[in-house]
């Protein structure tokens, strides 16, 4: 991570030089991690964890579109649980537009800041326009062979279906999935 520095304007005078501070730059490095995250899984968590030593702040940017019944708010709830495990270093936002557009706009609108643009699953072409920007590093979050949100959603749907079948056939309610508040309570313990 970079140390703060100040740029100066050097002015020549008859009796010497004067230095005037122009702009104080924080040297802060911000990682921008966009995705659908429907739902966020262990692979996503591992990428965020790997960014802890590389950036001062990690922004997780969630797509606003629901996927197979999983809402952005549910994704944000899971990320908030992950954030507790990562020491509160995440800034979690739901993008109004595409998460990648959010990344590109954030970089464009903050030209003096330093960024790490994160991609996954061979999506580096989305950041082709950033390769010449000296304030941006592009970070390959990797692909997780045994983990993907599509399979997670399918397994979750099957698990919820089995729970309903058990409830209907046995006349009892089986809860295989903890509500978010119960998970939060278990993590806090």
């Amino acid at each position: 991570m970079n140390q703060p520095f100040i740029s100066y304007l050097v002015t020549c005078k008859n009796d010497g030089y004067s230095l005037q501070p122009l702009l104080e730059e924080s040297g802060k490095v911000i990682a921008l991690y966009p995705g659908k995250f429907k739902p966020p899984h262990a692979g996503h968590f591992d990428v965020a964890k790997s960014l802890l030593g590389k950036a001062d702040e990690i922004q997780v940017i969630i797509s606003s579109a629901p996927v197979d019944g999983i809402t952005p708010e549910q994704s944000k709830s899971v990320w908030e649980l992950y954030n507790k495990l990562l020491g509160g270093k995440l800034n979690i936002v739901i993008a109004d537009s595409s998460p990648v557009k959010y990344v590109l706009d954030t970089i464009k609108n903050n030209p003096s800041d330093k960024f790490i643009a994160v991609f996954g699953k061979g999506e580096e072409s989305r950041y082709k326009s950033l390769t010449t920007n000296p304030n941006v590093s592009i970070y390959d979050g990797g692909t997780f062979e045994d983990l993907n949100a599509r399979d997670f959603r399918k397994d979750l749907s099957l698990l919820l279906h089995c729970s309903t079948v058990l409830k209907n056939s046995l006349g009892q309610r089986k809860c295989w999935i903890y509500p978010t508040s119960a998970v939060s309570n278990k993590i806090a313990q």
Side-chain angles (χ1 to χ4, degrees):
M1 292 176 268
N2 300 324
Q3 297 296 319
F5 65 91
I6 299 176
S7 300
Y8 291 93
L9 173 65
V10 179
T11 307
C12 293
K13 295 184 174 183
N14 289 338
D15 59 345
Y17 298 96
S18 77
L19 297 174
Q20 294 176 301
L22 284 178
L23 173 66
E24 184 173 343
E25 296 185 17
S26 69
K28 186 176 181 179
V29 176
I30 303 165
L32 302 171
Y33 185 19
K36 290 180 189 174
F37 304 120
K38 306 293 184 334
H41 53 65
H44 296 133
F45 175 86
D46 288 344
V47 171
K49 186 176 179 182
S50 74
L51 291 166
L52 289 176
K54 298 175 182 358
D56 300 296
E57 177 186 335
I58 302 165
Q59 286 190 16
V60 175
I61 304 112
I62 302 168
S63 166
S64 60
V67 177
D68 294 336
I70 298 174
T71 68
E73 292 77 16
Q74 289 169 320
S75 289
K76 186 174 182 181
S77 293
V78 174
W79 273 113
E80 288 169 349
L81 294 174
Y82 289 169
N83 194 21
K84 288 180 183 180
L85 297 172
L86 297 172
K89 303 286 186 184
L90 306 180
N91 177 16
I92 306 152
V93 297
I94 298 172
D96 291 333
S97 62
S98 144
V100 173
K101 182 177 179 341
Y102 180 101
V103 168
L104 298 173
D105 289 347
T106 299
I107 292 169
K108 179 182 171 187
N109 295 331
N110 299 281
S112 64
D113 288 335
K114 305 236 183 278
F115 294 98
I116 298 171
V118 182
F119 72 89
K121 292 187 265 178
E123 297 174 334
E124 65 269 19
S125 63
R126 293 179 171 195
Y127 295 145
K128 188 182 275 187
S129 65
L130 299 176
T131 57
T132 58
N133 186 327
N135 289 340
V136 178
S137 299
I138 299 173
Y139 183 78
D140 183 352
T143 301
F144 312 100
E145 291 184 29
D146 295 332
L147 290 173
N148 69 63
R150 183 181 8 84
D151 289 345
F152 193 173
R153 287 189 304 272
K154 184 177 160 188
D155 292 346
L156 181 60
S157 175
L158 179 62
L159 187 59
L160 291 173
H161 174 74
C162 288
S163 177
T164 301
V165 170
L166 283 172
K167 176 184 170 189
N168 293 339
S169 64
L170 300 175
Q172 298 174 353
R173 183 167 189 262
K174 299 281 184 181
C175 184
W176 295 96
I177 306 296
Y178 285 116
T180 303
S181 59
V183 172
S184 297
N185 292 339
K186 286 195 176 293
I187 288 176
Q189 294 175 351

